[in-house]
Structures are given as structure tokens and as C-alpha cells.
């Protein structure tokens, strides 16, 4: 495939016609894009524990996934057989609201470059990680796959969500047009080792943990939280979800996974609340009021 036009004959097209589900070769080159992030690092550790000996990972300083030529050169040189695309520009409400162009543009470039290069170089198996924010803000609960594109997105992260939706369609198009055994998975709100605790870039759980930890250390008498704190969402620890990711990346069948019951933000705050707490004014955006993904079916095929 020409890296600039996306045209011409693909390398390894024949493999998609004869592909059969099988255990992966533990020694084959396996690229985890975003291997230093929350999800990617957890997946990397799990793959190592499962005996994969040829894992490929590059930091953003070593490989800028926004650079199309660099990405194509990497795939031509390393020739990965399997790819998990966990790399993305991510952040919480504050970051998404302040840098809409960045979240849209950078994520689109990362996805298009990696997916096009994977297609051009005959990547056999690929798993793209999306986000549950792709669904409408006021989607019926629990959220089902068919609710995608049936309503308006949550305004605080609509740019990021549009980029993720484009990635999902890109993967589906590769399946339909070229017969690739590629799939996408939509995680719920994740947390765990390697999380981002930045005051402006973090998601809700690490943001709250940092706020209360700093308040206790500084003897602050009152903690003020954003919004009205009535949201109800799914949370899942990355070390639990990574097992589903790895199962999904090594088979072709549909996998079902069970998630925890939705938790209100106020419930989590109470678990931390050794200090008096109040919610900020409703002028602070809360995000999607309720996000409970369907428990029995969380993977796209």
C-alpha cells in the first residue's frame, strides 16, 4: 500500500482468506501501541506473564505515531504479526473541554497511521481499543452496541468520541473490504497502576484520590469537587480488564465479560471522605449522567 494515498496492492492479502482461529505463536512479533499507558502497560505485563517473548513497544519519543512515514517505516522494519492499538491522547473533562482540536486531530492521525500501516504490512490480528464515550449522552441503560450514532454525544468529550468512532469504522471496513480478523473493544472507565494523576489531565477517580491525598497532607479543612456528583458509571480496574483484552486479541470468537455494578461518584467520595466535602456549582460540567455498559456483550466483532 502506498503510505500517502492508501492505494495499491496489500501485502499478505491471501492470509485473510484462509485464516482460522488458533493459539498465537508466543514468539511472533507482537506490537502493543501505547505500552506505557494505563491500559497498554497492564496488557504488556499480562502478555509477558503468558509467555509472549517478542513484544514490541516504543515510547512516543522513540516513535511518534502521528508521523505517518515513521509509523510505516516501523511496521516495515519490525513486521509485527499482531497489534493491540492502545495508544491515544486521553484526558478528563477539563482536558477534553480545553483541547478539542488536539483530541480530535491527534487521535485520528494515530489511528489512521497505525491501521493503514497494519493493513499494508499484512498484520494478521489487531485489536483497537475505543471508549464507552462513543455512545449518546442520553442513551438508554444499559448501553447496547446498537445505540451507537443514535443520539447526541456528551459535549465535554465529543471530539475524542468522534475520533474513536472513526477508528471503529476503520476496523470494520478492514474486515469487510479485506477480510481482516480485526476487532474493536469498548472499555468502561478504567483505573489502576500507571494511571494519570495530573490535576488537569486525569479522569475522575485518580483526580479525586489526588485531591483528597493533597488535602490531608496540607491540612485543608474542606475539599471542593466539581459538579453535582450524581453521575452513575461503570468502573473497572485495568488489571482485570487486561485479561479480556488479551483473550480478545488471541481468538476470533465473541467474548462476553461481566462488569461491576454502576457506582455513583458520591459513593466513591464517601469512601475517601475523611475530610468535609461539598460539590462545586452545577456550572462545572459533570459529563454523561449515567453510563452503564451492557454486562453480557462489551466487544465489537
Amino acid at each position: 500500500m502506498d503510505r500517502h494515498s492508501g492505494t495499491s496492492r496489500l501485502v499478505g492479502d491471501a492470509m485473510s482468506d484462509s485464516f482460522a482461529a488458533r493459539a498465537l505463536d508466543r514468539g511472533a512479533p507482537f506490537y502493543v501501541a501505547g505500552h506505557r499507558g494505563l491500559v497498554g502497560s497492564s496488557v504488556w505485563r499480562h502478555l509477558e506473564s503468558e509467555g509472549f517473548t517478542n513484544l514490541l513497544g516504543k515510547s512516543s519519543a522513540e516513535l511518534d505515531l502521528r508521523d505517518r512515514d515513521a509509523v510505516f517505516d516501523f511496521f516495515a522494519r519490525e513486521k509485527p504479526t499482531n497489534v493491540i492499538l492502545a495508544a491515544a491522547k486521553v484526558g478528563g473533562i477539563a482536558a477534553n473541554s480545553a483541547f478539542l482540536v488536539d483530541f480530535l486531530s491527534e487521535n485520528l492521525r494515530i489511528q489512521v497511521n497505525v491501521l493503514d500501516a497494519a493493513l499494508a504490512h499484512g498484520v494478521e490480528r489487531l485489536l483497537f481499543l475505543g471508549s464507552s464515550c462513543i455512545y449518546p449522552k442520553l442513551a438508554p441503560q444499559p448501553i447496547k452496541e446498537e445505540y451507537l450514532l443514535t443520539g447526541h454525544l456528551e459535549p465535554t468529550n465529543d471530539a475524542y468520541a468522534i475520533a474513536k468512532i472513526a477508528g471503529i469504522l476503520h476496523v470494520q471496513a478492514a474486515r469487510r473490504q479485506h477480510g481482516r480478523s480485526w476487532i474493536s473493544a469498548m472499555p468502561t472507565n478504567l483505573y489502576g497502576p500507571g494511571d494519570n494523576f495530573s490535576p488537569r489531565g486525569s479522569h475522575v477517580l485518580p483526580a479525586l484520590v489526588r485531591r483528597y491525598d493533597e488535602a490531608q497532607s496540607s491540612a485543608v479543612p474542606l475539599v471542593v469537587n466539581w459538579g453535582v456528583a450524581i453521575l452513575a458509571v461503570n468502573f473497572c480496574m485495568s488489571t482485570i480488564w487486561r485479561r479480556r483484552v488479551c483473550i480478545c486479541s488471541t481468538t476470533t470468537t465473541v467474548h462476553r465479560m461481566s462488569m461491576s455494578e454502576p457506582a455513583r461518584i458520591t459513593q466513591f467520595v464517601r469512601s475517601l471522605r475523611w475530610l468535609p466535602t461539598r460539590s462545586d456549582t452545577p456550572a462545572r460540567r459533570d459529563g454523561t449522567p449515567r453510563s452503564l455498559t451492557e454486562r453480557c456483550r462489551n466487544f465489537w466483532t
Side-chain angles (χ1 to χ4, degrees):
M1 174 187 284
D2 181 87
R3 65 182 65 185
H4 300 295
S5 68
T7 60
S8 153
R9 191 177 68 83
L10 298 173
V11 176
D13 274 354
M15 73 170 64
S16 60
D17 296 329
S18 59
F19 182 85
R22 63 184 185 277
L24 291 185
D25 178 358
R26 260 48 177 178
F30 198 134
Y31 176 42
V32 181
H35 76 295
R36 290 188 174 181
L38 171 64
V39 179
S41 62
S42 190
V43 168
W44 181 282
R45 291 190 297 271
H46 187 71
L47 290 172
E48 281 187 323
S49 71
E50 290 294 312
F52 288 86
T53 59
N54 195 4
L55 298 179
L56 305 174
K58 294 289 184 181
S59 68
S60 57
E62 295 171 317
L63 175 61
D64 185 352
L65 295 178
R66 299 168 299 180
D67 183 335
R68 187 170 180 84
D69 287 338
V71 173
F72 269 75
D73 289 342
F74 169 79
F75 272 79
R77 182 175 64 254
E78 302 294 344
K79 297 178 174 56
T81 303
N82 310 290
V83 173
I84 293 180
L85 179 46
K89 181 178 179 62
V90 298
I93 288 178
N96 271 274
S97 300
F99 304 106
L100 291 90
V101 172
D102 305 69
F103 277 87
L104 179 63
S105 176
E106 292 189 29
N107 282 302
L108 284 174
R109 282 183 283 162
I110 289 170
Q111 293 164 194
V112 169
N113 291 343
V114 172
L115 294 174
D116 280 355
L119 193 60
H121 291 282
V123 169
E124 204 173 304
R125 307 298 303 280
L126 183 142
L127 174 63
F128 170 69
L129 298 185
S131 169
S132 58
C133 74
I134 63 171
Y135 297 105
K137 175 179 181 177
L138 301 178
Q141 304 294 311
I143 298 172
K144 299 180 180 180
E145 292 177 8
E146 56 262 35
Y147 298 159
L148 182 64
L149 300 177
T150 60
H152 294 290
L153 298 168
E154 162 55 41
T156 59
N157 55 24
D158 52 2
Y160 176 75
I162 287 293
K164 287 298 183 180
I165 291 171
I168 294 167
L169 268 293
H170 199 148
V171 168
Q172 290 183 339
R175 288 175 65 91
R176 296 200 301 265
Q177 183 176 342
H178 300 292
R180 297 298 186 197
S181 296
W182 294 6
I183 55 176
S184 300
M186 303 303 109
T188 184
N189 294 270
L190 300 175
Y191 65 97
D195 215 334
N196 177 10
F197 289 85
S198 163
R200 290 188 58 81
S202 59
H203 289 93
V204 60
L205 291 192
L208 288 170
V209 168
R210 174 172 179 150
R211 186 167 299 167
Y212 279 83
D213 180 65
E214 290 181 342
Q216 186 187 45
S217 301
S218 305
V220 174
L222 178 70
V223 175
V224 178
N225 294 316
W226 278 30
V228 295
I230 59 173
L231 310 183
V233 298
N234 278 133
F235 293 106
C236 185
M237 193 166 184
S238 60
T239 52
I240 296 174
W241 203 76
R242 71 184 182 186
R243 299 188 186 99
R244 277 70 171 182
V245 169
C246 293
I247 290 172
C248 219
S249 66
T250 55
T251 67
T252 54
T253 55
V254 175
H255 283 273
R256 300 174 182 272
M257 57 186 287
S258 177
M259 303 301 296
S260 60
E261 293 298 327
R264 290 188 180 277
I265 302 301
T266 47
Q267 294 172 336
F268 181 75
V269 168
R270 290 191 193 103
S271 72
L272 296 173
R273 199 170 73 184
W274 54 81
L275 292 168
T277 305
R278 73 175 175 84
S279 295
D280 203 350
T281 64
R284 295 282 197 181
R285 288 183 170 178
D286 270 318
T288 302
R290 186 174 178 85
S291 180
L292 169 60
T293 52
E294 189 177 24
R295 298 183 70 183
C296 65
R297 185 179 173 87
N298 287 269
F299 288 115
W300 283 73
T301 58

